[in-house]
Amino acid sequence: MFKFLVIIFFLLLGFESIAKTVTFLKVDFAPYYILEGEDKGQGRDEAVINLLSQSLPEYKFKQVFIPSSRALFELQHSKQTTCMLSLYKTEHRKQQFYFSEQYSTIGLAPTIAMHKDVAEKVIPKGITTTSLKDLIFKNDLLLGKSTERSYGHHVDMIILKIPKDDIIIRAGKDSLQSLTYMLLKKRVDVIIGYPGEHLYLQSKLKKESTFIQLQISESPKTVLGFIGCNKSKESQQFLKKVDMNFSKIKESPEYTSLMLRWVPVNLQQNLVNELNNQ
């Protein structure tokens, strides 16, 4: 009888250990997750997960890489408590996942990057926001974008109306990197992506001072990311504790520094204003 009780005790300990383990999926999306190079492991979202881990010592955190094309499938069908940090919360996704009430990350909406030589000819000095529609159609500029990516309804509709001769679409994991190189060589006039992506790729080329980033007036100023987890009782319990702790995390200077790290200097005040208004 004693041996039976000991076995049950250790089994319960094992179940408790599994229940208290949370796996965060990370994907190939620099600089939010940096998988190689001198900044490996220091991506924005990786660092936020570490801050959350420090605030919830009763949980064991694991970060596991998975290709972005499979991430949401894995998240939905995982049997253990599994989450992702910066997910858009949509009505459709609410049917598939449990979400935090508190946002986990905040960033500027997609921006355009231009070579400074080109920008000086069409953009007034001191401007940080411009109309994508006016920029492309009034100035006859060539736009570069990655395939199969959405930038919000209004921006997507503008892109759909651009003649095929005035747009270059690149596919593959390194598509924006390829477009950034083309921008450096002035083979394309404007490219579109997220501010952190632009800045990270420009820094890899060591040519940050060659480019300028501008917000798009047809886009919202910021995008919010939430923690999304697979639908399980353990995930619900975990997210309740997340919501209790994230207010303090977001008030910390470390969090603000992380949100601003990969934002161009000329756009940082725009994000600071949004952080103060949340």
Side-chain angles (χ1 to χ4, degrees), residues 69-81:
S69 60
R70 284 190 51 82
L72 293 182
F73 178 87
E74 179 69 21
L75 183 63
Q76 185 177 5
H77 295 93
S78 176
K79 301 300 182 184
Q80 309 300 332
T81 307

Side-chain angles (χ1 to χ4, degrees), residues 192-206:
I192 186 169
Y194 284 90
E197 288 183 286
H198 288 312
L199 190 59
Y200 178 73
L201 292 171
Q202 292 164 16
S203 69
K204 286 181 68 175
L205 291 172
K206 302 188 185 303

Side-chain angles (χ1 to χ4, degrees), residues 53-104:
S53 175
Q54 294 168 19
S55 76
L56 292 172
E58 67 270 33
Y59 283 91
K60 178 183 177 182
F61 281 60
K62 295 195 302 182
Q63 295 188 41
V64 176
F65 168 75
I66 190 164
S68 55
S69 60
R70 284 190 51 82
L72 293 182
F73 178 87
E74 179 69 21
L75 183 63
Q76 185 177 5
H77 295 93
S78 176
K79 301 300 182 184
Q80 309 300 332
T81 307
T82 305
C83 304
M84 287 187 72
L85 192 74
S86 296
L87 285 186
Y88 290 147
K89 188 193 295 189
T90 66
E91 292 304 316
H92 176 67
R93 286 184 176 177
K94 285 180 185 179
Q95 299 173 24
Q96 300 173 309
F97 312 113
Y98 288 136
F99 282 93
S100 61
E101 293 295 328
Q102 295 268 352
Y103 70 83
S104 59

